[in-house]
DNA sequence: TAGATTTAGACAATCTTTGACAAGAACTAA
DNA sequence: TTAGTTCTTGTCAAAGATTGTCTAAATCTA
């Protein structure tokens, strides 16, 4: 499940309007709409607020957010998987 | 081996001056110096040129470069490893 | 159809990245 | 040491990317 989909489905499950979520996030509906459509990435602060507003486990949301940031960096690259494995190795050794 | 270290050691092995590498990359010595010290990240185009100038396997350099881009995104995060694993999973399924 | 909700486009403001320059520091050889 | 060369550092403006907001159009709902 992709971040944008999760946000949208959670909002719908809770029967919230964009307008309501927007006010909890301190922004307007257009931005929330874009985030749910994947046109905009939420900032980290917005992730924090969204977790609360939509009652999603914060670490789950943050993990998805980080993961998509990484994905954007390497998508379409032949070496994507290898590069990520290398990062993983580095993270593990310095942990 | 980190990207910056590789670039520096390769240059030294080949007995090239910063000035010489700089001219092959179409930039000045200051930038090459910073890249070798890790103060600046090379652009993708610079990676391509550096591989040629320093006679480094292009895919090796590119992989390191991508890997460090990813690393910058997640370093210091508690969820770094988990997030990357998630990206890996995604890349594998859509490959 | 009217009213509400959602989406799309455009825009300026802000933040980040980049390349370039100049001056200083470190090194080398006589 | 000094002169000449190489490397490093700091600063800055230009270019690029991201962000929030506004407006208007599209879609939905009763």
């Amino acid at each position: 499940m992709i971040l944008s989909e999760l946000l949208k489905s959670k909002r719908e499950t809770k029967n919230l309007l964009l307008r309501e979520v927007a006010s909890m996030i301190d922004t307007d509906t257009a931005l929330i709409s874009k985030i749910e459509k994947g046109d905009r990435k939420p900032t980290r602060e917005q992730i924090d607020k969204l977790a609360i507003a939509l009652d999603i486990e914060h670490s789950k949301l943050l993990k998805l957010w980080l993961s998509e940031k990484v994905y954007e960096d390497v998508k379409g690259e032949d070496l994507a998987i290898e590069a990520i494995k290398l990062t993983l190795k580095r993270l593990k050794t310095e942990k």
Side-chain angles (χ1 to χ4, degrees), chain A residues 74-83:
Chain A
V74 301
K75 71 171 177 196
E77 299 283 351
D78 292 343
L79 294 163
I81 290 178
E82 281 195 70

Side-chain angles (χ1 to χ4, degrees), chain A residues 76-93:
Chain A
E77 299 283 351
D78 292 343
L79 294 163
I81 290 178
E82 281 195 70
I84 286 191
K85 282 183 180 168
L86 187 56
T87 312
L88 198 52
K89 210 179 287 181
R90 179 171 174 192
L91 286 167
K92 281 177 174 168
T93 63

Side-chain angles (χ1 to χ4, degrees), chain A residues 39-82:
Chain A
D39 293 342
R40 288 285 180 93
K41 312 207 126 188
T43 64
R44 202 196 170 100
E45 288 67 32
Q46 287 164 348
I47 285 292
D48 298 344
K49 290 178 183 171
L50 284 166
I52 294 167
L54 297 175
D55 198 21
I56 302 173
E57 197 190 340
H58 183 261
S59 68
K60 179 183 180 180
L61 212 50
L62 186 56
K63 182 160 71 167
L64 259 179
W65 182 75
L66 288 170
S67 174
E68 291 187 11
K69 207 149 59 111
V70 169
Y71 180 77
E72 286 300 314
D73 278 348
V74 301
K75 71 171 177 196
E77 299 283 351
D78 292 343
L79 294 163
I81 290 178
E82 281 195 70

Side-chain angles (χ1 to χ4, degrees), chain A residues 7-69:
Chain A
L7 294 172
K8 177 162 193 178
S9 72
K10 260 292 183 175
R11 178 175 64 81
E12 288 172 345
T13 302
K14 294 179 72 80
N15 278 311
L16 294 172
L17 299 174
L18 285 183
R19 155 168 67 76
E20 298 175 298
V21 174
S23 89
M24 293 192 261
I25 309 306
D26 302 315
T27 185
D28 72 345
T29 64
L31 182 53
I32 303 296
S33 169
K34 282 167 189 162
I35 288 172
E36 286 190 356
K37 306 213 82 197
D39 293 342
R40 288 285 180 93
K41 312 207 126 188
T43 64
R44 202 196 170 100
E45 288 67 32
Q46 287 164 348
I47 285 292
D48 298 344
K49 290 178 183 171
L50 284 166
I52 294 167
L54 297 175
D55 198 21
I56 302 173
E57 197 190 340
H58 183 261
S59 68
K60 179 183 180 180
L61 212 50
L62 186 56
K63 182 160 71 167
L64 259 179
W65 182 75
L66 288 170
S67 174
E68 291 187 11
K69 207 149 59 111

